[in-house]
Amino acid sequence: MGDVSGRSVVLEGSEQGFATTRVDALLGWARKYSLFAYPFVTACCGMEFMALTSPRFDLARFGAEAPRFSPRQSDLLWVVGTISQRQAPVLKRIYEQMMEPKWVLAFGTCASSGGFYDNYTTVPGIDKVIPTDVYIPGCPPRPEAVLDGLMLLQDKIQTGSRRPGVVKPRFDPPQSVDGLVQLRRKAGDPIELLPELGMGPYAKQAGGDR
């Protein structure tokens, strides 16, 4: 369930002991596994958010599966989708009504930077309205990327850091041919496809063999 920084002490002459830690470390450990989320869903990223909360990805293992549809009962604001200029005051009011300490997670490109809506009606990132802790790129982001962002937020809660964090993008298709070996045509010739790809020393080796 995580690590609480501290040390264990065993009493001499017995097998029983106790652990010591700081109060702030204990509170951080408890908060990271008891997030009460408020989903502010406005656009198509909502479908990916629904997929994230499905049993396949098991959001419950992070202690963040139970949504709270009252900001006064929430400490994690999921901003999912595009925020227009008319929605910005509503979003700010919801953030102000949330209990302290509170965190904000920007779900997708539109919430992070406005996405492809480069016009006067769209807010170019929710950080123009409210402070944001984690930005998750993608249109929409994959559930695996969102889980990376959630674990990044948990690390920030554990350490008490309030610096903004960005989930690093993943590359698809793979950057190396090793990730494409499952595409070979025959099981007996694993490098048959490589000359057609024209990538790296594998292609030269395959050309030399022929």
Side-chain angles (χ1 to χ4, degrees):
M1 288 297 295
D3 181 23
V4 180
S5 58
R7 63 189 184 93
S8 299
V9 179
V10 179
L11 300 178
E12 184 178 358
S14 69
E15 297 181 355
Q16 298 181 356
F18 59 92
T20 60
T21 185
R22 303 192 314 272
V23 175
D24 57 346
L26 182 62
L27 290 177
W29 175 83
R31 286 168 178 162
K32 68 182 287 188
Y33 288 114
S34 60
L35 294 171
F36 291 163
Y38 182 92
F40 191 80
V41 182
T42 62
C44 45
C45 274
M47 308 304 167
E48 204 69 15
F49 181 79
M50 296 175 194
L52 173 69
T53 55
S54 65
R56 176 178 181 180
F57 296 98
D58 192 16
L59 197 61
R61 56 193 162 133
F62 300 99
E65 79 282 4
R68 297 292 187 269
F69 294 102
S70 172
R72 294 176 178 85
Q73 300 175 356
S74 308
D75 56 6
L76 172 58
L77 178 60
W78 292 75
V79 182
V80 184
T82 313
I83 301 299
S84 64
Q85 296 290 348
R86 287 190 174 186
Q87 291 171 327
V90 179
L91 178 63
K92 184 176 181 180
R93 182 175 182 181
I94 289 175
Y95 175 79
E96 292 174 347
Q97 290 176 346
M98 294 174 61
M99 60 181 180
E100 294 283 354
K102 51 192 173 184
W103 300 274
V104 177
L105 193 146
F107 190 110
T109 303
C110 287
S112 300
S113 62
F116 52 83
Y117 297 104
D118 188 12
N119 53 48
Y120 66 95
T121 63
T122 304
V123 177
I126 61 173
D127 53 357
K128 303 296 189 294
V129 183
I130 58 177
T132 307
D133 294 286
V134 175
Y135 301 85
I136 303 175
C139 184
R142 286 282 302 161
E144 293 85 357
V146 181
L147 294 180
D148 286 344
L150 181 59
M151 289 187 287
L152 176 60
L153 178 64
Q154 287 183 321
D155 292 340
K156 290 165 58 64
I157 295 173
Q158 175 75 59
T159 59
S161 172
R162 302 300 297 202
R163 298 180 59 186
V166 180
V167 177
K168 296 182 179 180
R170 299 175 182 267
F171 294 99
D172 190 21
Q175 297 299 305
S176 64
V177 180
D178 297 335
L180 299 175
V181 292
Q182 70 273 14
L183 298 180
R184 62 180 184 252
R185 297 177 181 175
K186 294 185 298 183
D189 187 5
I191 62 173
E192 182 179 2
L193 186 62
L194 303 185
E196 299 180 7
L197 296 175
M199 300 174 64
Y202 295 99
K204 298 181 180 178
Q205 179 181 356
D209 293 342
R210 293 185 179 182

